[in-house]
Amino acid sequence: MSTHPYPSHASHASYPEDLERPGLVRTGRSTFVRPIRPEDADRLVAFVGTLSRATLAYRSLGPVVRARDDVIRRGAHVDYLNELALVALDGDEIAGLVRYVRDPEEPEHAEVTFTIRDDHQSEGFGRLLLEHIAAAARARGIRVLEADVLADNARMINVFLGSGYRTQAGPPGQIIHFEIAVDPQAQAVARAERREQTAVRRSLKPLLEPRSVAVIGANRDPLTIGHEIVANLLRGGFAGSVFPVNPRADQIAGARAYASVRDLPGPPDLALVAVRAEAVPGVVRECADVGVKAVVVVSTGFGETGAEGRAGELELARFARASGMRLVGPNCMGVVNTTPAARLAATFSPALPTPGRVAMSSQSGPLGLAVLDYARRLRLGFSGFVSVGHAVDVSTDELLQWWEEDPGTSVILLHVETFGDPRRFARVARRVAPRKPIVAVHPGHADSAVSSLFAQSGVIRTRSLQELFDVALLLAHQPPPPGNRVAVITNAGGPAALTVGACAASGLCVPALGDRTRQTLRPVLSPHADVSNPIDLTPTASAAHYRQALDAALADDGIDAAVVLFMPPLADKPDEVASAILDAAAARPDKPVLASFLGGAGVADLLHRGDLVVPTYTFPEAAATSLGHAAAYQIWRSTPAGVVPDLAGVDAERARALIAPCAPGPVPAAVAAELLASHGIAVRGGEPGPEPDAGLAAGPDAFLTVRADPVFGPVVAFGLTGDYADLMADVAHRVTPLSDRDAREMVRSLRATPLLEKGGVDFGALEETVLRISAMVEDLPEIEALELRPVRLLPAGDGVAVSHATIRLADYTTGGTPA
């Protein structure tokens, strides 16, 4: 296990002259940046004295309390290592100040704060100081700078988002928490991702926000797909031009028809193709000739028909991209955008979604029809819907990047069978999920590997489409809960017991209410009411009782969410209870409220009031399951983001030289050992053998493997050897590249972890080994499979012992792909 090389917060380093640098801000103003000195104490007091109350409020994240001068002066005394402050000077005065303080519990993390004098704000001092403090922090072993910013502090938010460093922001609210990865690799990745995102969004604009649309294969018969696409475009409020294309018709659905795409007044941005499969290539070529920018191929008869059809659709995609077009499909049902400025109903679905804040990508055309119909019945509004079909070009991860920046989208739903680029999907999802929840259903069996990989990327995986929409209903209308403590309010004991059990199964708890809450409720409820938790109001409960109980539960600091159950008796009306629930939910918008009106018809309509919606479920178990997913998501989002660290002792050039002469297939044992050594992993006892060295201390044996997953690419697996993995399937999985957070969570996620903790194994060394394996696979994409077995887990301070290693290289000549 490697120990951290940096001393405690109390240590002191000499003044770092190397941090003194001239600088230019965005406006062209020249400044000088240097570390603060003890003799700057009076200058610091004068600087703080110039700050407005608004600037002080942004700095203190709340009400302004001016510090005493002696407290301010102490800010000029730092150790330049665990605490560092840089000042940007305007003449002899401080124009801006940035300070970091290292986290003693996580020495590679530090809190950073910025203060810019009012008359120098909006000039670029914040971005300049961020660049300087990031470089200084990186040199001192800090990998992540963390900052809390008020949500209306647009200037500071823009500094972080536009810095070029990889940032993660979340959760949204009054205060936004930023984490900025400051290692150079992360900086390059962030800039590349930003360039990629810009390119993707520009390429998708003609698809999702076209100015004109052609429908090739339009038909006069209302029962045909071509006719319904034209009709939906016209009645869906599309503001641009609609061009039906049919050589045997003059008019379709009231719009003038054209014989060919070549006869149109000008090249449309988007063309929908609904012709026979054998005619599609020629139509797409015509579209390319006239300058169409995006094509949606609704037609069937491609990949679903076999190998020949699959080859044909791939060739179609290659042609479209070479011609500068984007292609959706084939075998899809179209595209929908409900944004007021870009309304687009380019689909044949008879059920068009109502406007809302949910976007969805579906890989099944027929399934999309059912999805849109079900969403309408749920009153779940969509901002956008794309049926990608066989997804030979436009893919799920690209749509994520479109909706990532769409202000009208707050929740993203995915029905996924394959991912265009699995590694890119994982990377994009990790970036999007902290700001916008991603909920996915995957048709594969619910194996732990896929579930772990979704969780690593922050994607909420559901087991069915029903569950997908249950979760969406919650996240679209209520905030994720700040914790997992739930109050259950009911007028019937049986449903409450079911709800408590469902909460436990979903990782939630139903704790006893606080004393103050119970004292508040006893005088106002029926003498027969139970004010513990669940709160049983009895069948005689009125709407007023529901309001009082829900108000008290949401005000309890020990409660994070509420599930309200109502079994309509004869003595009261569901609309009155629904109104009481809405009133209570409106008073506490920071905690989610869910409802289940058992046996109530039309209840969903009762729990809508303008923008305020309390999601309602037919059965309470669905409410508990949805809340459990939301709570787990909030925990993931609130956990500090990890970074892919720079590892000492990695010689990627040597590794590539070793692997260059190797043939596909198993690598010789001696070469495998050298490859591991090039990435800082020693195989003990020289040439690897099947058993641990006899002289090693006793300890549990584990394994580390890498395999190519057909969905996510290289997957690292970790588990204990023997019955734990073989009989109990106690194995943890993560997709590369692994961050320090991924490695930490992975090695502690086994059900056997308590046994390892009790045995005092060297978790730090195990995490480092996992990270080195991840780096090796990233550096050497030729590696198809890798296995370290056994890996002896030694006591803390003694590391781990790898005794046997096998590595297999991919065979490209037979169509293999690297892991």
Side-chain angles (χ1 to χ4, degrees):
M1 176 180 179
S2 60
T3 58
H4 199 278
Y6 303 103
S8 69
H9 182 78
S11 64
H12 186 86
S14 59
Y15 179 83
E17 292 184 358
D18 61 302
L19 297 183
E20 295 184 346
R21 304 273 181 85
L24 286 172
V25 298
R26 177 178 50 80
T27 60
R29 176 192 292 271
S30 181
T31 185
F32 190 79
V33 179
R34 63 165 173 80
I36 204 166
R37 304 167 181 160
E39 56 265 36
D40 289 323
D42 289 338
R43 189 177 285 111
L44 189 58
V45 171
F47 168 69
V48 174
T50 67
L51 301 177
S52 68
R53 293 181 65 84
T55 296
L56 286 171
Y58 281 139
R59 172 62 183 81
S60 60
L61 301 178
V64 176
V65 178
R66 288 192 180 271
R68 300 194 313 269
D69 286 357
D70 61 324
V71 175
I72 297 172
R73 285 190 175 90
R74 285 203 292 270
H77 298 265
V78 297
D79 65 11
Y80 303 116
L81 184 61
N82 296 309
E83 182 178 7
L84 174 65
L86 302 178
V87 294
L89 300 178
D90 176 22
D92 195 44
E93 298 175 346
I94 298 175
L97 169 73
V98 62
R99 183 188 305 271
Y100 80 63
V101 178
R102 192 192 300 269
D103 185 343
E105 300 297 326
E106 292 188 85
E108 292 190 344
H109 290 241
E111 181 182 4
V112 65
T113 55
F114 294 77
T115 312
I116 310 299
R117 207 170 72 192
D118 289 65
D119 58 340
H120 289 300
Q121 292 175 9
S122 298
E123 294 183 358
F125 276 92
R127 187 161 298 176
L128 176 69
L129 286 172
L130 174 58
E131 293 173 1
H132 282 255
I133 199 72
R138 188 163 60 242
R140 286 155 177 77
I142 292 169
R143 300 300 182 192
V144 178
L145 294 175
E146 301 188 27
D148 289 322
V149 183
L150 288 176
D152 63 346
N153 189 354
R155 289 170 177 164
M156 201 68 246
I157 291 171
N158 288 335
V159 166
F160 290 142
L161 296 180
S163 65
Y165 296 102
R166 185 173 57 195
T167 61
Q168 293 209 17
Q174 235 182 348
I175 296 175
I176 301 175
H177 182 73
F178 278 92
E179 295 184 359
I180 306 105
V182 299
D183 60 287
Q185 182 181 6
Q187 181 180 11
V189 169
R191 287 175 175 164
E193 286 182 354
R194 190 162 60 248
R195 289 193 297 270
E196 175 191 79
Q197 184 184 14
T198 299
V200 166
R201 287 185 58 81
R202 286 176 176 170
S203 75
L204 294 183
K205 191 174 179 64
L207 171 70
L208 297 171
E209 295 181 353
R211 295 165 298 178
S212 54
V213 180
V215 181
I216 304 170
N219 199 296
R220 285 173 293 192
D221 186 349
L223 299 178
T224 60
I225 287 175
H227 181 278
E228 290 306 299
I229 294 174
V230 175
N232 279 340
L233 282 166
L234 295 174
R235 65 172 173 252
F238 179 61
S241 301
V242 177
F243 303 122
V245 176
N246 185 325
R248 292 180 295 276
D250 297 326
Q251 192 178 79
I252 294 175
R256 177 188 171 185
Y258 295 82
S260 164
V261 69
R262 299 181 189 277
D263 299 323
L264 300 180
D269 286 340
L270 172 64
L272 284 96
V273 180
V275 298
R276 299 186 315 277
E278 57 269 24
V280 169
V283 168
V284 172
R285 286 185 178 277
E286 273 196 338
C287 289
D289 291 343
V290 302
V292 173
K293 298 180 179 66
V295 177
V296 174
V297 179
V298 177
S299 311
T300 60
F302 288 90
E304 74 276 14
T305 64
E308 185 177 346
R310 180 61 178 169
E313 67 186 16
L314 292 177
E315 177 57 34
L316 199 65
R318 284 191 288 268
F319 173 80
R321 291 301 291 266
S323 303
M325 294 189 300
R326 299 308 311 269
L327 186 146
V328 172
N331 193 13
C332 70
M333 57 170 289
V335 178
V336 175
N337 187 347
T338 68
T339 304
R343 288 192 183 280
L344 178 70
T347 176
F348 56 87
S349 171
L352 297 180
T354 56
R357 302 194 62 81
V358 176
M360 183 174 184
S361 167
S362 172
Q363 282 191 253
S364 169
L367 185 63
L369 294 172
V371 161
L372 293 181
D373 179 66
Y374 185 62
R376 282 191 70 90
R377 288 189 279 120
L378 282 180
R379 293 193 60 176
L380 182 65
F382 278 71
S383 59
F385 178 87
V386 179
S387 171
V388 294
H390 295 168
V392 294
D393 178 25
V394 173
S395 58
T396 302
D397 56 80
E398 292 181 307
L399 292 170
L400 280 179
Q401 294 181 77
W402 176 271
W403 289 319
E404 176 184 9
E405 299 300 328
D406 178 19
T409 297
S410 58
V411 181
I412 301 171
L413 308 183
L414 305 176
H415 165 256
V416 287
E417 297 174 1
T418 60
F419 299 86
D421 182 336
R423 296 166 65 78
R424 183 169 65 174
F425 170 82
R427 173 170 51 81
V428 172
R430 290 185 208 185
R431 187 180 75 227
V432 176
R435 292 193 292 149
K436 298 183 179 183
I438 304 170
V439 190
V441 61
H442 187 276
H445 59 285
D447 58 285
S448 60
V450 175
S451 295
S452 296
L453 296 172
F454 271 118
Q456 179 189 358
S457 303
V459 177
I460 301 169
R461 185 183 187 184
T462 60
R463 294 165 293 184
S464 65
L465 280 169
Q466 176 72 59
E467 193 173 301
L468 178 89
F469 281 99
D470 287 344
V471 177
L473 199 61
L474 168 59
L475 294 174
H477 301 302
Q478 295 284 311
N484 70 340
R485 302 164 300 179
V486 182
V488 177
I489 301 171
T490 184
N491 65 349
L498 291 174
T499 306
V500 172
C503 284
S506 302
L508 304 169
C509 64
V510 182
L513 300 176
D515 291 339
R516 179 178 298 179
T517 304
R518 293 198 297 271
Q519 291 169 7
T520 299
L521 288 175
R522 283 194 184 99
V524 298
L525 298 182
S526 163
H528 303 292
D530 184 348
V531 295
S532 54
N533 194 13
I535 306 172
D536 190 345
L537 303 177
T538 76
T540 62
S542 66
H545 290 149
Y546 269 94
R547 174 66 195 272
Q548 290 161 335
L550 188 51
D551 279 341
L554 294 175
D556 192 319
D557 291 337
I559 294 298
D560 301 306
V563 177
V564 184
L565 311 178
F566 178 68
M567 180 74 75
L570 296 176
D572 215 333
K573 298 179 180 179
D575 57 340
E576 295 177 359
V577 175
S579 181
I581 294 172
L582 287 169
D583 290 341
R588 286 305 301 260
D590 56 321
K591 295 183 179 181
V593 177
L594 297 79
S596 178
F597 278 36
L598 291 89
V603 173
D605 293 337
L606 300 179
L607 288 166
H608 284 245
R609 182 189 295 163
D611 293 334
L612 175 61
V613 177
V614 171
T616 182
Y617 302 87
T618 303
F619 298 110
E621 296 93 333
T625 301
S626 301
L627 193 57
H629 281 302
Y633 165 71
Q634 179 66 5
I635 291 172
W636 179 88
R637 187 167 69 170
S638 302
T639 303
V643 296
V644 179
D646 290 328
L647 299 167
V650 171
D651 190 344
E653 290 188 11
R654 178 190 170 204
R656 284 190 282 271
L658 286 167
I659 212 170
C662 293
V667 170
V671 177
E674 289 192 60
L675 283 171
L676 290 167
S678 72
H679 280 73
I681 301 173
V683 178
R684 301 206 176 187
E687 187 170 312
E691 298 296 333
D693 296 339
L696 292 177
D701 287 336
F703 63 85
L704 281 167
T705 66
V706 179
R707 293 287 186 273
D709 184 89
V711 175
F712 286 91
V715 175
V716 181
F718 164 70
L720 300 184
T721 58
D723 291 346
Y724 287 104
D726 298 338
L727 299 181
M728 300 175 63
D730 192 13
V731 181
H733 302 82
R734 292 295 185 273
V735 63
T736 65
L738 270 67
S739 69
D740 52 0
R741 169 181 168 178
D742 296 331
R744 184 169 57 251
E745 292 178 348
M746 180 182 188
V747 303
R748 289 171 171 81
S749 64
L750 299 181
R751 293 192 294 277
T753 295
L755 297 178
L756 300 181
E757 292 173 338
K758 184 177 180 180
V761 303
D762 197 334
F763 276 105
L766 179 56
E767 292 170 24
E768 184 174 316
T769 302
V770 169
L771 289 170
R772 291 183 181 278
I773 288 296
S774 171
M776 185 173 175
V777 173
E778 290 295 299
D779 290 339
L780 304 172
E782 299 90 343
I783 294 178
E784 183 179 57
L786 179 151
E787 181 170 359
L788 308 183
R789 184 195 296 260
V791 178
R792 174 68 54 86
L793 306 182
L794 302 175
D798 291 340
V800 299
V802 177
S803 296
H804 187 91
T806 59
I807 296 175
R808 174 181 292 275
L809 304 183
D811 185 355
Y812 298 104
T813 62
T814 60
T817 57

